[in-house]
Amino acid sequence: MSMSSQQSTELPIRELLLQKVCDHLKVIYPQLTDCGLAREFVEVMRLDEDCQTPLPHKNLWDETDVVVITYGNTIQSDNQHPLKTLHHFLKTHFTMLINSVHILPFFPYSSDDGFAVIDYRQVDPSLGDWNDILRISTDFHLMADLVINHCSSQHQWFLNFQQDRDPGRDYFFTVHPNEDLSGVVRPRTTPLLRSVQNGDETRCVWCTFGHDQIDLDFRNPRVLQEMVDIIRLYLDMGVRIFRLDAVAFLWKKIGTSCINLEETHEIVRLLRTLIEHADPNAIIITETNIPNRENLSYFGNANEAHLIYNFSLPPLLVHTLVSGDCHHLKNWLMSMPPAQNGTTYFNFIASHDGIGLRPVEGLLSDEEQEALIQTMENFGGRISWRALDDGSAKPYEINIALYDALRGTTAGEDQWQLERFICAHAIMLALEGVPAFYIHSLVGTTNDYARMEEHGHNRAINRRHWQEEELNERLADKDSHHHQVFYRLRELIQLRRDQAAFHPNATQFTLHLGEQIFGFWRQSLDRRQSVFCLNNISDSEQLVLLSSLNLIGIDQWKDLISGQVFEDMMGEITLAPYQTLWITNRW
């Protein structure tokens, strides 16, 4: 049904929403002839009872927003649920510093450290319960995963599928084994299909990530409706930020790459519509570990993700710091479009996963990628692989703790590990977007080889479990690198939070100061504050002429980090190895 703009403005908000949801669903499911399914979706989200009006292009963030990423059981103590311990640790160390926490999947699971979900509607009893989640959400903006592409082979839906029962008998994507699937893009080397019993017959189910993670079939609208019902529950439990895990693989169509299909984008638009009408302050983040141009497409027309993961940043930044050359990082930054209001980037340089290599396809040459891989292996890292359509394998990600990844350069280990590590985070904190710290980076955790061997997969190298008492002792020990990392990063975070020029949507321009100084300029939305961010990404001193920055002579300029004041606009600055300057006209 089409309507004029005059008619649409006269309709009640619920009727406008219903029509919008109906329009989304008809793109996804062209066979629909009416809005009956849309009405069901609206009812599942309880928008027939309470429907709010989101404001378009509204920034739901500012320079005070900083995220910490953690598993629910990363911080542990005796005789207490890990979620309670985590909450205590966060309140003790991060109050008035970090306002948002991403708790990685906290549901019952069978593998992949939470991403093979057995029950979307329960908290893993070994972590705690929904009351623990609600308590955390009262003190921090809570980000949670919607593991939307697949579920565990132990989920009741899949058990029902195997017995040809509802709900579940038609919830999973099945394929004839003779289909040509050579064009399918994979993030793993395991076989794509798994043979299982479905009632009295054997069928092949689709497994993008492995045989314990069975892909759901969104060609069935009931599968999508289940996910909408789960979203409503998460909103009720205090979740404000929804991370759509592996969403790029959602829709399958034989004969295509089965990634980033138009139906997938339309599902993201639908979920955005439903979520923002339930809570206009809720946020969607898409997790799409894919080449940069494809990743950018998930902004849509400011109607898909509010934030997208800046997946190219981690490998490019690590490459820059170990090579001592910012050429590629600078070119990439110049190519990144400014995010329009209502959208921004989610910046990170370490996470529970490895340092992805797909996002630098077309940005780093094969030789440069190989040099990066070799350097990371020299520093104790491991490599995970993905399958290509010719049957060969290609490096997919580097598995390493970030503190170890920055032990040295391509020439080997050196004495600049701590300074290089701090420089990496100073760059992340100053870039356009919302910064996110993996909790292990904040406390300087190193490679955990014992955990990797125990769990049998490379990603465990960067998923250490800390006893809260031991970690607190390390952080209190002024001679430990844990203390030095933690308190230096705290200082940078506190500085960032006070600068209007570091608003996630503030203006950003790349500076051209040679290949050893990575520089960019930020200007506040009201144009009153400028910050020139200069980063020596090399292991030798670098000279910068103040005249090359075009500082306005009538302003006073000061480095926020060191406190140095600059009065001679024709003078020069010497940056020590890996030193960062934030030169501003307002402080």
Side-chain angles (χ1 to χ4, degrees):
M1 180 177 69
S2 62
M3 58 185 74
S4 68
S5 58
Q6 181 178 358
Q7 287 176 310
S8 65
T9 57
E10 293 172 355
L11 285 174
I13 180 62
R14 288 180 179 82
E15 291 301 315
L16 287 171
L17 170 65
L18 180 62
Q19 186 59 55
K20 193 171 182 181
V21 172
C22 190
D23 290 343
H24 288 309
L25 288 171
K26 285 182 177 179
V27 173
I28 303 165
Y29 307 112
Q31 70 274 19
L32 293 181
T33 58
D34 59 36
C35 290
L37 184 63
R39 193 167 286 106
E40 291 181 32
F41 276 46
V42 168
E43 290 173 359
V44 166
M45 283 289 285
R46 298 204 302 274
L47 298 178
D48 54 329
E49 304 169 15
D50 181 17
C51 180
Q52 302 187 54
T53 304
L55 294 177
H57 302 289
K58 180 184 178 182
N59 293 325
L60 302 173
W61 41 78
D62 61 26
E63 60 273 13
T64 66
D65 286 294
V66 182
V67 181
V68 62
I69 305 166
T70 181
Y71 278 102
N73 58 0
T74 295
I75 313 294
Q76 302 181 3
S77 60
D78 295 335
N79 304 315
Q80 187 176 60
H81 281 140
L83 286 173
K84 284 188 173 65
T85 304
L86 173 65
H87 190 197
H88 179 262
F89 185 85
L90 293 173
K91 288 183 69 175
T92 300
H93 294 289
F94 298 144
T95 298
M96 303 302 294
L97 187 74
I98 288 174
N99 64 357
S100 304
V101 56
H102 173 201
I103 305 178
L104 290 153
F106 45 79
F107 318 105
Y109 70 97
S110 55
S111 63
D112 199 17
D113 279 357
F115 286 92
V117 178
I118 293 176
D119 189 343
Y120 293 95
R121 295 179 171 89
Q122 296 295 325
V123 174
D124 186 341
S126 69
L127 297 178
D129 56 32
W130 282 118
N131 287 327
D132 296 311
I133 295 296
L134 280 166
R135 278 189 283 269
I136 292 173
S137 74
T138 61
D139 291 318
F140 299 89
H141 300 319
L142 178 60
M143 176 171 164
D145 290 270
L146 184 68
V147 185
I148 191 170
N149 179 70
H150 50 265
C151 68
S152 167
S153 64
Q154 296 181 32
H155 195 290
Q156 189 60 51
W157 293 340
F158 191 64
L159 299 180
N160 288 350
F161 170 84
Q162 292 172 288
Q163 299 174 24
D164 200 27
R165 295 179 179 173
D166 289 325
R169 75 168 78 222
D170 51 1
Y171 277 19
F172 297 91
F173 199 94
T174 60
V175 182
H176 192 281
N178 294 333
E179 290 279 8
D180 180 8
L181 304 176
S182 60
V184 175
V185 172
R186 295 290 314 289
R188 299 288 187 272
T189 55
T190 52
L192 177 60
L193 302 183
R194 170 186 168 182
S195 297
V196 296
Q197 283 297 120
N198 175 223
D200 295 329
E201 60 179 317
T202 301
R203 302 177 73 182
C204 292
V205 293
W206 191 288
C207 304
T208 298
F209 291 91
H211 284 186
D212 188 40
Q213 292 163 290
I214 318 299
D215 283 43
L216 293 158
D217 187 357
F218 284 88
R219 295 174 302 180
N220 179 354
R222 296 303 165 195
V223 173
L224 184 53
Q225 188 170 339
E226 292 273 15
M227 285 298 163
V228 170
D229 185 56
I230 290 164
I231 287 170
R232 179 67 258 182
L233 171 66
Y234 293 178
L235 284 166
D236 292 342
M237 293 297 110
V239 174
R240 179 185 169 192
I241 309 168
F242 290 83
R243 177 184 184 269
L244 303 188
D245 176 65
V247 70
F249 301 95
L250 206 63
W251 197 272
K252 287 84 174 169
K253 192 177 293 183
I254 304 303
T256 74
S257 63
C258 297
I259 187 171
N260 304 320
L261 299 186
E262 177 55 32
E263 291 86 349
T264 294
H265 283 280
E266 195 65 40
I267 288 174
V268 176
R269 293 175 202 128
L270 168 67
L271 298 183
R272 163 76 177 260
T273 295
L274 292 169
I275 289 171
E276 68 183 3
H277 279 83
D279 180 357
N281 293 313
I283 292 169
I284 288 178
I285 300 182
T286 49
E287 188 269 333
T288 47
N289 191 357
I290 50 180
N292 194 49
R293 184 178 295 273
E294 298 171 34
N295 189 32
L296 288 168
S297 71
Y298 282 87
F299 277 141
N301 297 320
N303 60 351
E304 293 188 34
H306 295 89
L307 286 80
I308 62 170
Y309 273 76
N310 223 340
F311 272 110
S312 296
L313 179 60
L316 280 177
L317 186 50
V318 172
H319 163 79
T320 295
L321 289 165
V322 301
S323 69
D325 186 334
C326 68
H327 174 78
H328 293 301
L329 184 63
K330 186 166 57 176
N331 283 347
W332 166 77
L333 193 66
M334 288 190 292
S335 73
M336 293 294 282
Q340 61 179 301
N341 283 333
T343 67
T344 194
Y345 296 102
F346 189 74
N347 293 328
F348 72 108
I349 46 178
S351 74
H352 62 291
D353 290 338
I355 299 170
L357 293 171
R358 288 213 69 208
V360 290
E361 291 177 7
L363 301 176
L364 295 181
S365 68
D366 289 345
E367 293 75 19
E368 287 165 329
Q369 290 188 52
E370 182 54 40
L372 176 61
I373 289 169
Q374 185 59 59
T375 303
M376 295 301 98
E377 289 184 318
N378 292 342
F379 297 160
R382 300 292 190 270
I383 307 301
S384 294
W385 302 76
R386 68 183 182 94
L388 301 180
D389 56 13
D390 62 2
S392 63
K394 185 175 183 178
Y396 176 69
E397 68 179 15
I398 301 165
N399 304 112
I400 191 170
L402 187 64
Y403 193 71
D404 280 310
L406 298 175
R407 284 185 199 173
T409 68
T410 53
E413 297 186 31
D414 59 24
Q415 74 272 34
W416 300 110
Q417 182 178 14
L418 176 62
E419 299 305 324
R420 193 179 289 113
F421 186 78
I422 299 301
C423 178
H425 288 91
I427 291 171
M428 179 189 75
L429 279 166
L431 286 171
E432 174 188 355
V434 174
F437 289 84
Y438 188 36
I439 196 167
H440 287 300
S441 294
L442 279 169
V443 300
T445 304
T446 55
N447 291 336
D448 191 339
Y449 300 108
R451 184 169 176 80
M452 183 180 68
E453 294 300 323
E454 176 188 353
H455 288 264
H457 61 86
N458 292 342
R459 284 178 167 178
I461 198 172
N462 194 25
R463 298 178 179 179
R464 177 171 179 168
H465 288 169
W466 281 102
Q467 286 293 312
E468 184 180 28
E469 183 178 359
E470 179 192 0
L471 181 54
N472 283 335
E473 289 174 357
R474 300 276 187 98
L475 296 178
D477 179 2
K478 294 184 179 180
D479 293 328
S480 76
H481 79 267
H482 303 283
H483 173 94
Q484 294 165 27
V485 163
F486 185 66
Y487 284 95
R488 289 187 64 180
L489 291 180
R490 280 180 60 98
E491 290 173 3
L492 288 176
I493 293 169
Q494 287 168 337
L495 281 174
R496 176 213 156 78
R497 287 170 53 94
D498 290 334
Q499 314 310 318
F502 287 154
H503 186 287
N505 293 88
T507 299
Q508 176 174 285
F509 283 111
T510 308
L511 303 176
H512 298 274
L513 301 167
E515 306 301 357
Q516 281 69 55
I517 298 291
F518 178 58
F520 50 96
W521 169 65
R522 303 294 308 279
Q523 185 183 58
S524 60
L525 296 173
D526 62 10
R527 299 191 177 187
R528 296 177 66 189
Q529 184 187 32
S530 289
V531 179
F532 288 83
C533 307
L534 309 184
N535 306 275
N536 180 359
I537 52 81
S538 76
D539 57 6
S540 59
E541 289 186 348
Q542 299 294 324
L543 189 69
V544 176
L545 298 176
L546 280 173
S547 59
S548 65
L549 301 181
N550 285 319
L551 302 180
I552 299 173
I554 59 174
D555 285 347
Q556 287 188 312
W557 296 90
K558 175 183 176 180
D559 172 32
L560 291 166
I561 298 173
S562 68
Q564 180 180 358
V565 176
F566 304 97
E567 296 178 345
D568 181 4
M569 296 299 100
M570 301 305 292
E572 58 186 37
I573 317 168
T574 300
L575 277 78
Y578 305 106
Q579 183 181 358
T580 291
L581 301 179
W582 287 346
I583 301 174
T584 185
N585 61 337
R586 297 182 69 87
W587 59 89

